[in-house]
Amino acid sequence: MPISAAQRAALITASALLLTAGTAGCSDGSRKTAPPASNGPTGLDRLAAQKLEWAPCLPPNEAEGGGPAPSPLPGGGSWECTYLSAPLDYAKPDGGTVDLALIRAKARDQSHRIGSLIFNFGGPGGSGVSGLPSFAGDFESLRSRYDLVSFDPRGVGRSKPVECLSDAELDAYYALDFTPDDAAEQKTLSDAQARYAAACQKNSGTQLPYVGTENAARDMDLMRRVLGDSTFHYFGISYGTELGGVYAHLFPHNVGRAVFDAVVDPKAGVVGGGLGQARGFQLALDNFAQDCLNRGDQCVLPGSSVAEIERFVTDLLASLDKKPIPGIGSRQLTETQATNGIAQSLYSKEFWPYLEQGLDEADGGNGALLLALSDSMNGRDQNGAYSNLQAANAAINCVDYKERYTLDQARAKLPEFRKASPVFGDYMGWGIASCAHWPVPGTWQHPDVSAPGSAPILVIGNTGDPATPYEGARSMVNALGPGVGVELTYKGQGHGAYNSGNACVKTTTDAYLLDGRVPKSGTVCR
């Protein structure tokens, strides 16, 4: 079952960071008109008065993940791209600016247009400019009355991307052992993480303090003003729910109709978030193993129980820790890359057959498929070029969160993580130290998303979500405050609910966004 280019792109959209398939980009020539003269408005008012010049979209650049230009819209029409100028530092709105890449598909029925519906597909670090066209079919019903709009957040894709290591250096970096077994391996990992952070500082140091979620939320409100919308209509997925929550806290009275799908727990913090993902991926692996057993002799994995299949997985990872196997070309499959590839394929039930095949082939000494899955998680294409998704992810997470766990402190937490997941515990546990050497201080212990006075926000949780566990939806509803969060539960598998194919979720969400019908909080879709 070889993996096609189209399937590889689809896998990227399902990654732990909700990576987005590269299918569109902004034209470098798409610019706004010149700002008003110096004797006119200043600061944010001046920037809010800028006029956008939309132009046909070019194919995405390397930082966005590459790929072709977007296909024509259903029923005709084309995607449009432009740039919007925002303050680099909102504390100094008359200072330097950063240009943000935008993409738009105009509403089919302009006479009944509600406004712009702004999307963030997650990460942090995913390109909305390349992501929105890849999901166009799923959101076509919403284009009936909304202009569908997305963007590359600051530091991402075409929006002055954070740059760290070269492609060759990233190949070596991702081949490292991220679950060290002794002091020597721990030092090797620590030194590599320090070099990575130093490269980010060298290549993108001036922008690192300004790529955080709070600035991205302020960018979205400026976007609302420039697009001419009196209220902010929003669809956030995965990390996009955290970004949307921060927006609602900062601008509660500007919120119009908003949907949060695949919800990040705003109260979890670094350790809580890591533990939640360890449990979530373990649950997804349990469900995968049970599905394999339910198919009887068609399942190629050894074992007659979920525990036996998972013991096979842990034994395979332990073997790879001692000796990597051939992967793709001269590259080998390591324990870390195999763990990464397993996690990648658990984001959607659609990709479980690739996981089964990849595990079986790796057991026979062929690591190509699991390595391809890991590559898609890391934003590497078949030609060896990396998008800037992981660099942006590190930059945004590390400027957002204050915690700076060392590897020694992470090691002390391992028993708790191993209890959460025998397969993913070590990987997630060591991962809490990823910002140890970051050159810029963090902002918060956890984001404040309280939004008194906001319009209702539809919060959708999926009971089988591996990356943003179901409990995060209830936590978000509680944190938003009374009368704001409206909880909708989807009893299904995979990361997110709206694009799952479940008719109940789609109908309920569309009725809210298009007609303003707020469902009863606690509604369940099966």
Side-chain angles (χ1 to χ4, degrees), residues 8-216:
R8 186 184 304 274
L11 282 166
I12 292 174
T13 70
S15 80
L17 304 169
L18 195 60
L19 315 190
T20 49
T23 55
C26 282
S27 166
D28 288 337
S30 301
R31 308 296 297 179
K32 63 273 169 196
T33 58
S38 58
N39 60 348
T42 61
L44 283 180
D45 288 336
R46 175 179 59 83
L47 290 169
Q50 66 188 286
K51 303 299 182 183
L52 302 179
E53 293 184 356
W54 298 90
C57 299
L58 293 180
N61 63 18
E62 183 176 296
E64 291 174 301
S71 302
L73 291 161
S78 61
W79 295 92
E80 301 174 310
C81 286
T82 191
Y83 286 89
L84 176 147
S85 285
L88 178 64
D89 181 356
Y90 274 90
K92 301 175 181 177
D94 286 309
T97 60
V98 58
D99 285 350
L100 307 178
L102 274 65
I103 188 168
R104 177 179 72 177
K106 297 181 74 172
R108 296 194 306 273
D109 185 354
Q110 287 290 311
S111 63
H112 295 94
R113 176 182 174 275
I114 297 170
S116 304
L117 183 62
I118 296 175
F119 289 80
N120 181 280
F121 295 99
S127 165
V129 172
S130 62
L132 184 57
S134 69
F135 296 111
D138 295 321
F139 298 111
E140 182 61 15
S141 59
L142 299 175
R143 193 168 70 90
S144 61
R145 298 185 63 200
Y146 285 102
D147 292 345
L148 306 186
V149 177
S150 195
F151 65 108
D152 287 355
R154 52 178 64 207
V156 175
R158 289 185 185 265
S159 299
K160 194 171 175 58
V162 172
E163 298 177 353
C164 298
L165 299 176
S166 69
D167 290 340
E169 290 169 331
L170 285 172
D171 274 347
Y173 182 72
Y174 291 127
L176 290 173
D177 189 345
F178 281 76
T179 56
D181 299 314
D182 53 39
E185 288 185 352
Q186 187 173 319
K187 184 178 187 305
T188 297
L189 177 59
S190 179
D191 290 348
Q193 290 175 331
R195 288 193 297 273
Y196 186 97
C200 298
Q201 173 69 11
K202 177 182 178 181
N203 295 321
S204 298
T206 57
Q207 72 183 107
L208 292 183
Y210 307 108
V211 297
T213 297
E214 183 174 319
N215 278 336

